């Protein structure tokens, strides 16, 4: 039985009748053509997908030239996930979403990749003519937006027999609503794509969804095919080096972090030239082992200017302080613009790397062997300018050993103007990562010029186990000599025993900014330093001040997203209040079942 709802009938005039796709006839998705129509054959691994394909074939392809598959979290069901098709135009995002469910489907724009701090749209089969515009703050329970609903339902299709829900919707890219997340122009691949999540279920109302959830990233303004653009720009490389987990057997534990270190010699063994000259890294590409997608949660690559990995745990943390690459699902390769490179070898380039992988094994599967990691592409050709990493906040953990304080607290590091003044020229920031550990709640990094905040990066809802190094979704910006930085971290340490330190059970507060051209600060006596600014630094120009205090309530976190009872431009209509009561009931049902977890 197939239900066609009035909204679908309404939109059907916009559709062209197209022949059904015969997936055995089309070329399967390739590097050259991973998106759009052909990719639909591969979504849901092409398993029991007829209902989805029928619907997809029936829709006008020009409406949705782009698609992505958000991989589900259940390692036993790799064919599950959510197919997202989209187009951006006229100030709107147009979306079509499909998942293997008969009850409900939720799609969200997430800050860290998890379920907190998320902007959501929820479709339920029970109310096929409406959508619920929802958000989550710190709790994993969706709340209906207080301001008007911004997601417009275009069509819906619940196929109980085929086991799929599909719906089409559109929303303004920027609604100005404090409970919605704007979709920014992410057409440049240097800008972090939007983190997307989805969840689904067969129950009539949204409820605890276990592993029926998916994560990924969507470059809404992507120009053509990111994958082949990346390949083309890597054609100039002399070679590549893989930094991979070495036949690592994933333990039968829900969550573990494992590090793999690669010495200079191991890079040379993979064909990197053994030279004192400078080489350039020109791109990074994630390599997640096929079949292990659900286990590899995210990873971070750090680098050292020393060739060795034979160090104590603490020495490793200090030597591999510079973060060079971060991956979370959906993230594609990063190709640097052709005038930029990350220095390798030479006088002060990187010599060794460390990959720290967060594995998730929710179904406690035994004997899963992994070789995931990252590939970097290098060239011996010079590049016009070097990419550097600017470190502010407290990168060397100058406050090491101090307690954070019990309950809610505020910690602020201010890097003085004298530090950026050493650069003597303006620099451009391409990407900014913010970093705390487990008890972080919110982090901001402000750039200040003449007493005014000229740029502010924030992670409003921190979720360490989702994304311990959050790439802020923003465009590039310029730092002028004399600008200062103010990095602020908010924590909640319930038992008051946590200290600042390098271990993951301790805390940190820092920001890493990819910028160019790379600067070296002259320390005298022939010594120079990368752009580090932190508390109790040995170098007075880049010695940050530090202040901290306890906070009385969460209001003092000054969050700017998902605030309850915000000012709305228009008061909620009666219809919205009706929806609010509805989702309130959903919340209660979910509460009884436990937290909704992504
Ligand atoms: C699913 O899609 C594949 C193509 O990817 C097609 O060959 C197959 O027949 C479909 N399976 C079902 C059960 O619909
Ligand atoms: C991983 O194991 C396979 C099979 O035992 C072996 O061929 C391969 O060399 C191993 N790889 C590494 C990096 O140890
Ligand atoms: C590692 O370092 C220790 C002490 O510095 C040394 O004794 C040991 O031989 C080194 N191991 C390797 C594999 O180089
Ligand atoms: C850095 O600042 C701290 C106080 O914030 C001070 O105790 C220390 O001496 C300063 N270090 C240098 C090298 O200026």
């Amino acid at each position: 039985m197939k239900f066609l709802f009035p909204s679908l009938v309404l939109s059907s005039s916009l559709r062209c009748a197209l022949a059904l796709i015969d997936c055995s006839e089309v070329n399967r998705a390739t590097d050259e053509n991973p998106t759009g129509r052909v990719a639909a054959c591969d979504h849901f691994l092409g398993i029991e997908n007829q209902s989805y394909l029928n619907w997809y074939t029936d829709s006008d392809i020009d409406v949705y030239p782009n698609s992505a598959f958000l991989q589900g979290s259940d390692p036993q069901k790799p064919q599950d996930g959510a197919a997202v098709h989209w187009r951006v135009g006229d100030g709107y995002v147009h979306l079509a979403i499909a998942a293997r469910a008969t009850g409900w489907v939720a799609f969200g724009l997430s800050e860290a990749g998890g379920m907190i701090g998320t902007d959501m749209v929820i479709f339920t089969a029970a109310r096929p003519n409406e959508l619920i515009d929802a958000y989550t703050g710190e709790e994993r329970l969706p709340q209906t937006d207080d301001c008007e609903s911004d997601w417009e339902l275009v069509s819906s299709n619940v196929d109980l027999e085929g086991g799929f829900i599909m719906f089409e919707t559109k929303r303004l890219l920027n609604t100005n609503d404090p409970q919605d997340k704007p979709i920014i122009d992410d057409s440049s691949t240097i800008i972090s794509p939007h983190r997307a999540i989805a969840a689904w279920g067969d129950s009539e109302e949204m409820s605890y969804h276990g592993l029926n959830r998916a994560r990924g990233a969507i470059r809404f303004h992507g120009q053509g095919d990111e994958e082949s653009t990346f390949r083309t720009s890597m054609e100039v490389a002399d070679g590549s080096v893989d930094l991979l987990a070495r036949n690592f057997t994933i333990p039968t534990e829900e969550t573990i972090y494992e590090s793999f270190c690669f010495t200079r010699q191991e890079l040379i063994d993979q064909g990197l030239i053994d030279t004192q000259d400078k080489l350039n890294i020109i791109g990074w590409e994630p390599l997640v082992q096929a079949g292990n997608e659900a286990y590899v949660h995210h990873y971070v690559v750090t680098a050292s200017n020393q060739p060795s990995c034979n160090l104590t745990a603490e020495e490793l943390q200090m030597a591999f302080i510079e973060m060079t690459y971060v991956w979370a699902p959906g993230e594609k390769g990063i190709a640097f613009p052709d005038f930029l490179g990350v220095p390798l070898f030479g006088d002060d380039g990187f010599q060794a790397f460390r990959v720290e992988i967060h594995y998730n094994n929710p179904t406690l599967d035994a004997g899963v062997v992994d070789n995931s990691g990252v590939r970097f592409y290098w060239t011996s050709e010079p590049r016009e300018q070097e990419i550097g990493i600017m470190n502010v906040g407290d990168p060397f953990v100058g406050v090491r050993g101090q307690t954070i304080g019990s309950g809610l607290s505020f910690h602020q590091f201010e890097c003085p103007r004298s530090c950026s003044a050493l650069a003597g020229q303006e620099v451009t920031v391409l990407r900014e990562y913010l970093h705390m550990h487990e008890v972080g709640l919110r982090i901001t990094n402000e750039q200040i010029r003449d007493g005014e905040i000229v740029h502010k990066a924030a992670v409003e809802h921190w979720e360490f186990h989702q994304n311990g190094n959050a790439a802020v979704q923003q465009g590039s910006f310029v730092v002028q000599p004399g600008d200062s930085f103010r990095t602020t971290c908010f924590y909640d340490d319930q038992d008051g025993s946590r200290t600042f330190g390098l271990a993951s059970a301790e805390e940190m507060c820092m920001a890493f900014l990819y910028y160019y051209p790379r600067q070296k600060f002259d320390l005298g006596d022939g010594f120079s330093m990368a752009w580090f600014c932190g508390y109790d630094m040995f170098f007075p120009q880049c010695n940050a001040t530090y202040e901290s205090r306890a906070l009385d309530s969460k209001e003092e976190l000054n969050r700017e997203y998902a605030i309850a009872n915000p000012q709305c431009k228009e008061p909620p209509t009666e219809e919205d209040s009706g929806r609010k009561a509805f989702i309130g009931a959903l919340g209660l049902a979910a509460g009884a079942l436990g937290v909704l977890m992504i």
Side-chain angles (χ1 to χ4, degrees), residues 136-419:
T136 58
E138 220 174 81
E139 309 293 324
R140 291 184 163 81
L141 288 181
Q143 313 284 322
T144 307
D145 280 22
D146 292 301
C147 304
E148 84 181 89
S149 177
D150 297 288
W151 293 98
E152 290 172 43
L153 183 68
V154 174
S155 83
S156 69
N157 182 352
V158 179
D159 181 354
L160 294 180
E161 201 180 304
F164 269 94
I165 287 178
M166 282 80 58
F167 69 94
E168 293 177 272
T169 177
K170 64 179 216 177
R171 198 201 81 177
L172 283 171
L173 294 171
N174 186 3
T175 64
N176 259 334
D177 179 334
Q179 291 160 343
D180 288 337
K181 286 194 184 298
I183 290 174
I184 69 164
D185 181 351
D186 57 2
S187 49
S188 158
T189 56
I190 290 293
I191 294 172
S192 193
H194 293 75
R195 301 240 146 268
I197 59 171
W200 55 91
D202 294 336
S203 54
E204 188 163 310
E205 292 181 343
M206 188 173 177
S207 60
Y208 178 65
H209 48 69
L211 294 176
N212 286 344
R213 59 183 199 235
R215 283 179 321 140
I218 295 180
R219 190 172 293 291
F220 284 105
H221 293 77
Q223 303 291 316
D225 170 7
E226 229 174 294
E227 188 78 27
S228 61
T229 312
F230 177 77
R231 301 251 158 269
T232 309
S233 35
M234 291 303 110
E235 276 166 13
V236 299
D238 290 354
S240 65
V241 171
D242 293 351
L243 311 174
L244 307 177
R246 302 178 175 99
N247 279 342
F248 179 66
T249 303
I250 302 172
T252 51
E253 286 166 50
E254 170 122 24
T255 292
I256 80 132
Y257 288 84
E258 186 71 21
S259 289
F260 305 90
C261 194
F262 301 84
T263 62
R264 175 188 166 105
Q265 187 56 48
E266 288 170 294
L267 310 181
I268 291 166
D269 292 345
Q270 287 195 47
L272 199 58
I273 314 174
D274 187 358
T275 176
Q276 298 309 310
D277 296 340
K278 191 183 80 171
L279 306 173
N280 282 293
I281 295 179
I282 59 171
W284 295 95
E285 180 185 18
L287 299 176
V288 176
Q289 184 174 326
N292 284 2
E293 292 84 354
Y295 302 101
V296 181
H297 189 277
H298 69 262
Y299 55 78
V300 176
V301 182
T302 51
S304 166
N305 296 97
Q306 304 303 315
S308 170
C309 288
N310 187 13
L311 300 169
T312 64
E314 171 122 336
E315 286 166 347
L316 277 173
Q317 293 283 354
M318 288 307 275
F320 290 80
I321 195 87
E322 294 206 65
M323 197 176 53
T324 51
Y325 180 74
V326 172
W327 178 85
E331 205 88 55
K332 305 268 191 345
I334 301 180
F336 298 123
D338 60 11
F339 65 100
L340 291 177
V342 173
L344 189 64
F345 295 1
D347 294 339
D348 57 0
F350 295 128
Q351 309 226 30
F353 295 88
R354 216 171 167 225
V355 183
E356 186 182 59
I357 306 184
H358 174 180
Y359 289 102
N360 249 20
N361 188 357
T363 42
L364 308 181
D365 302 328
V368 180
V369 174
D370 187 54
N371 289 283
S372 298
V374 68
R375 172 173 293 165
F376 70 74
Y377 291 82
W378 60 274
T379 175
S380 54
E381 290 292 312
R383 291 247 155 159
E384 234 167 276
Q385 292 182 7
E386 294 181 350
I387 297 179
I389 298 162
M390 181 192 304
N391 303 264
V392 300
D394 190 22
F396 287 124
V397 199
V399 288
R400 213 173 316 171
Q402 298 191 27
T403 54
I404 292 164
S406 107
L408 298 172
S409 60
F410 163 102
H411 299 260
Q412 191 168 71
F413 298 88
E414 187 150 358
C415 172
R417 312 180 54 211
S418 48
C419 193

Side-chain angles (χ1 to χ4, degrees), residues 437-545:
H437 284 172
E438 289 168 346
V439 301
L441 288 183
R442 176 175 187 249
I443 177 170
T444 63
N445 189 35
E446 296 161 309
Q447 176 196 1
I448 297 158
R449 183 178 304 152
D450 303 325
E452 306 249 311
I453 298 169
V454 291
H455 183 266
K456 179 175 182 175
V459 176
E460 298 290 340
H461 293 85
W462 183 256
E463 215 180 347
F464 179 69
H465 291 295
Q466 285 298 338
N467 196 349
N469 288 282
V472 179
Q473 255 239 310
Q474 61 185 11
S476 63
F477 60 96
V478 166
V479 176
Q480 289 181 0
D483 288 352
S484 59
F485 285 94
R486 190 161 62 201
T487 313
T488 310
C489 290
F490 299 87
Y491 304 97
D492 185 4
D493 181 19
Q494 301 198 333
D495 68 10
S497 63
R498 291 228 176 196
T499 50
F500 282 102
L502 298 164
S504 60
E506 297 178 302
E507 271 305 332
M508 290 193 173
C509 179
M510 59 184 78
F512 306 83
L513 294 81
Y514 260 55
Y515 75 97
Y516 71 89
R518 181 182 186 224
Q519 304 293 312
K520 276 173 262 182
F521 295 161
D522 187 2
L523 305 187
D525 298 329
F527 290 102
S528 66
M529 180 183 77
W531 194 320
F532 276 99
C533 192
Y535 180 64
D536 206 15
M537 281 275 287
F538 49 93
F539 192 52
Q541 285 93 326
C542 295
N543 189 9
T545 57

Side-chain angles (χ1 to χ4, degrees), residues 21-26 28 38-53:
I21 312 180
D22 177 354
C23 287
S24 60
E25 292 291 306
V26 299
R28 304 302 295 256
V38 170
C41 290
D42 284 331
H43 292 162
F44 303 101
L45 275 186
I47 295 170
E48 290 174 9
N49 51 0
Q50 209 54 61
S51 162
Y52 159 71
L53 282 182

